[in-house]
Amino acid sequence: MARTCFAVGFLFVLALPTASTADDGRVEINLARAHAGGVTATDAPGFPVTIDTPGSYVLTSNLNTPTEAEDGIKITADNVTLDLNGFTIAGLVTCTGSGSGLDCGSGFGGNGIDSTGDATVVMNGVVRGFASDGIDLDEACRVEDVTVTQNRSVGLRLDDDCVAVGVIASRNVGSGILASSATGATILTSSARGNKGIGIHMSSVSSVEGCAANGNGSDGIEVGNSAVATYNASSENGGDGMYALGTALLKGNAVYGNSAWGLNMVTFSGYVLNSSGSNGSGDYLSGVSLGANSP
Amino acid sequence: MMRREVTLVLALLIAAQSALAGEGVVLITQADAVAGGVTAGDTPGFPVTISSSGSYRLASDLVVTSITETGVSITSTDVSLDLNGFAILGPVTCTGEGSSILCVNGMGWGIHSTNERISVRNGSVRGFGFGGVVLDDDCRVRDLTVQENSSSGISVGSGCIVRNSTASLNGVHGILTRPVVESRASVVSGNNARGNGDDGIHATTGSVVIDNMLSLNGDKGIWATTGSSVHRNSSAKNEGDGINLGAVTTTTLNATGWNGGYGISMAVSSAAYGFNVISVNTAGTVSASGTNFGNNNCQGNTTCP
């Protein structure tokens, strides 16, 4: 009998929801394990799920946080890859309207994913409905094929040297994608639509290419010194189609139907091969034309 | 006695681990489709109905034999469907290509949703009457091959991203952003649209069309409306224009040739072009109305019309 009890105890210890490993070696995270804790050493039961160890992690269910105060996932280690695996990390915030008419309620709380580690990778899923940012990452991060929507602050907040590809940022109260305090960030083939703030807001030494910004409450795309913004479409935003500080290069962009300027360039930004029309304040303000633009 | 107790313990262990595993990625096979119950409300047979947010993955081809049925109907927001290299196959077949394409009529979609934030990737969809993949706003399509559907191959709403996919031999458009009047701000990048009955890519207001290959389509290679940005595409041997632009558009670094209409056609002066290579096209290299940024090569002549 004693031997049987020992066997029962031993096997149930094996069944405890400590970090479960998928066949490919990645650590699985799901709602049951979020509630149980122990995903990594310092992960307490409930939210946030804390990832304190470098490695590769994969969601195996949606994660739904029970209150607005909590983060969904907190990453404290460098070099963490988090594959959302097609799942959604959802908070409780819901929104009505879009652009300047967006209403997501009031109060600030947790982020969907919050990383203080460098070189975080997040891919392949949805983060929505958080009372602060959808995703807030630190330096040298990478985000691919992620949708951030209906968050009460910024949709996707990036730091220095981050790369975002194929991101959909819609109907967030702050900017859709924000890297205004970062240098060296790159945004490629992404969409920012209906955010209350700026669609895509970059700082100096950054690049925005092949992105569409539409119907945001403020500017469609904003860049800083030595930034390059190429081949984008920015339309029907509440501010400027594109706003550039300092010495940015704006090339091959279409800016249409924005409430303020098509391209608003403070001081010495250069612009070429752009097409601008039907903007409330006019097509081009300041800047240095490097060649042909329309009109 | 001991063996029975150990068996009991193992059963409890399996049950405990199963409960802790959470929802997991839901696998869908042909047998599941026939049996029903993939999600609540999914009745036996087609369509497979996905009514709950989550991640779904095919584990076999899905073969739909009736021309009236849809393959997968997604009735929830926030759904990811990974075709996992498999195909969703309907009964429709098409013969010919371009304006001569002839498809059997049908009344189903390969994958259909009217809900936001649907992601579909990594497989093939072929042979449906109402269209191959039809999704709503903020959707994502990646790494798909969509062929021989009676209507458009890939049809998406506002704010969607369509990347690295092939849409060929569909009865209407290869890739369509819709509704045509209301849709906004989609990104269409790195795709191949060939031999479709109408336009290769039909993009609406404020879209980005970049790094695509268009050929042998029944009308325009690319049709991009107001406020769109069109760059680095190759558009050749289409029956209409290689690239057709609406107002306040810019197009650079494209190669167009051997199209039935113009290489680049612009109806208004606020459509502008530069740094393009435009070869022989039946109607001419460039229509007269657009703004020439310069540095185009029109049949070897840098002075385009």
Side-chain angles (χ1 to χ4, degrees):
Chain A
M1 183 60 189
R3 208 167 47 183
T4 302
C5 290
F6 174 78
V8 169
F10 176 72
L11 289 171
F12 269 95
V13 166
L14 287 181
L16 285 175
T18 52
S20 173
T21 303
D23 292 342
D24 56 8
R26 296 187 293 177
V27 177
E28 295 184 1
I29 300 172
N30 56 45
L31 191 58
R33 292 198 166 91
H35 289 153
V39 170
T40 57
T42 61
D43 179 42
F47 286 98
V49 172
T50 299
I51 297 175
D52 64 11
T53 306
S56 187
Y57 299 80
V58 57
L59 289 197
T60 58
S61 81
N62 291 336
L63 299 182
N64 299 88
T65 57
T67 74
E68 291 188 0
E70 293 153 324
D71 294 334
I73 293 182
K74 177 78 175 172
I75 300 171
T76 60
D78 295 342
N79 302 307
V80 168
T81 293
L82 176 61
D83 183 354
L84 302 183
N85 196 23
F87 288 105
T88 296
I89 302 177
L92 296 177
V93 174
T94 58
C95 304
T96 58
S98 69
S100 59
L102 183 69
D103 182 0
C104 299
S106 60
F108 283 88
N111 299 318
I113 300 171
D114 184 355
S115 178
T116 55
D118 292 347
T120 300
V121 178
V122 180
M123 56 186 173
N124 189 23
V126 176
V127 179
R128 66 167 168 83
F130 282 86
S132 190
D133 297 339
I135 301 176
D136 182 354
L137 303 180
D138 218 282
E139 296 177 5
C141 67
R142 181 176 179 85
V143 181
E144 184 160 3
D145 293 342
V146 168
T147 298
V148 284
T149 184
Q150 298 181 61
N151 298 290
R152 203 173 276 158
S153 186
V154 171
L156 172 62
R157 188 188 300 265
L158 304 172
D159 207 331
D160 296 346
D161 306 320
C162 285
V163 177
V165 184
V167 169
I168 298 172
S170 69
R171 300 176 66 209
N172 299 285
V173 176
S175 297
I177 301 172
L178 176 67
S180 63
S181 300
T183 58
T186 300
I187 314 295
L188 301 172
T189 52
S190 295
S191 170
R193 187 175 64 89
N195 300 286
K196 194 166 188 176
I198 298 167
I200 299 173
H201 188 179
M202 308 296 287
S203 183
S204 56
V205 199
S206 60
S207 176
V208 182
E209 179 172 308
C211 296
N214 172 266
N216 298 289
S218 183
D219 300 335
I221 297 172
E222 186 170 324
V223 296
N225 274 308
S226 303
V228 178
T230 51
Y231 313 134
N232 304 289
S234 186
S235 60
E236 301 172 326
N237 298 288
D240 301 319
M242 302 184 76
Y243 178 87
L245 280 169
T247 54
L249 171 64
L250 308 178
K251 176 183 173 185
N253 303 289
V255 286
Y256 161 76
N258 299 286
S259 297
W261 291 92
L263 296 182
N264 182 354
M265 296 158 285
V266 177
T267 62
F268 302 115
S269 289
Y271 62 105
V272 65
L273 303 176
N274 301 289
S275 187
S276 177
S278 301
N279 300 290
S281 301
D283 293 317
Y284 302 98
L285 178 63
S286 302
V288 177
S289 174
L290 305 178
N293 292 279
S294 174
Chain B
M1 180 63 183
M2 179 65 184
R3 177 175 294 177
R4 197 170 62 205
E5 287 168 346
V6 169
T7 302
L8 174 64
V9 168
L10 285 173
L12 289 169
L13 171 63
I14 290 168
Q17 286 189 320
S18 176
L20 291 169
E23 302 157 21
V25 176
V26 177
L27 301 181
I28 302 173
T29 65
Q30 180 79 8
D32 297 325
V34 170
V38 170
T39 58
D42 178 42
T43 56
F46 287 99
V48 172
T49 298
I50 297 176
S51 62
S52 300
S53 166
S55 186
Y56 298 81
R57 184 178 301 154
L58 292 196
S60 79
D61 289 343
L62 299 183
V63 181
V64 179
T65 55
S66 167
I67 62 169
T68 64
E69 289 174 335
T70 290
V72 177
S73 175
I74 301 171
T75 61
S76 172
T77 58
D78 302 308
V79 169
S80 173
L81 177 59
D82 181 355
L83 302 189
N84 195 24
F86 290 106
I88 300 177
L89 303 170
V92 169
T93 57
C94 301
T95 57
E97 65 182 9
S99 63
S100 300
I101 197 165
L102 185 61
C103 300
V104 176
N105 286 325
M107 294 183 288
W109 293 276
I111 301 169
H112 179 259
S113 182
T114 58
N115 287 276
E116 296 181 345
R117 301 184 298 280
I118 307 302
S119 172
V120 181
R121 63 194 175 105
N122 190 23
S124 298
V125 179
R126 177 164 61 81
F128 290 89
F130 282 168
V133 178
V134 179
L135 305 177
D136 211 274
D137 296 348
D138 288 352
C139 70
R140 188 184 308 281
V141 174
R142 183 170 176 182
D143 300 331
L144 290 189
T145 299
V146 183
Q147 297 178 297
E148 293 193 52
N149 301 285
S150 304
S151 186
S152 295
I154 299 169
S155 175
V156 300
S158 293
C160 291
I161 299 176
V162 181
R163 283 208 289 164
N164 302 350
S165 294
T166 294
S168 62
L169 304 174
N170 297 289
V172 188
H173 306 301
I175 299 171
L176 165 69
T177 64
R178 58 154 231 303
V180 172
V181 176
E182 299 170 3
S183 179
R184 297 287 187 274
S186 286
V187 177
V188 183
S189 173
N191 304 287
N192 186 337
R194 183 180 65 83
N196 299 288
D198 202 326
D199 302 331
I201 294 173
H202 188 102
T204 52
T205 301
S207 293
V208 173
V209 181
I210 189 166
D211 295 331
N212 301 285
M213 306 267 295
L214 305 312
S215 63
L216 300 168
N217 295 291
D219 196 355
K220 306 163 188 70
I222 297 170
W223 186 85
T225 62
T226 308
S228 291
S229 193
V230 179
H231 308 278
R232 298 192 314 222
N233 302 285
S234 172
S235 187
K237 299 182 180 178
N238 301 289
E239 295 177 45
D241 303 320
I243 299 173
N244 185 293
L245 300 171
V248 195
T249 50
T250 175
T251 189
T252 68
L253 301 170
N254 303 286
T256 69
W258 304 284
N259 297 289
Y262 288 101
I264 300 176
S265 179
M266 296 155 284
V268 293
S269 62
S270 60
Y273 66 105
F275 292 87
N276 300 288
V277 176
I278 307 157
S279 187
V280 175
N281 296 276
T282 302
T285 53
V286 177
S287 65
S289 299
T291 295
N292 187 347
F293 282 149
N295 294 291
N296 295 286
N297 176 349
C298 288
Q299 284 185 251
N301 191 340
T302 56
T303 306
C304 295

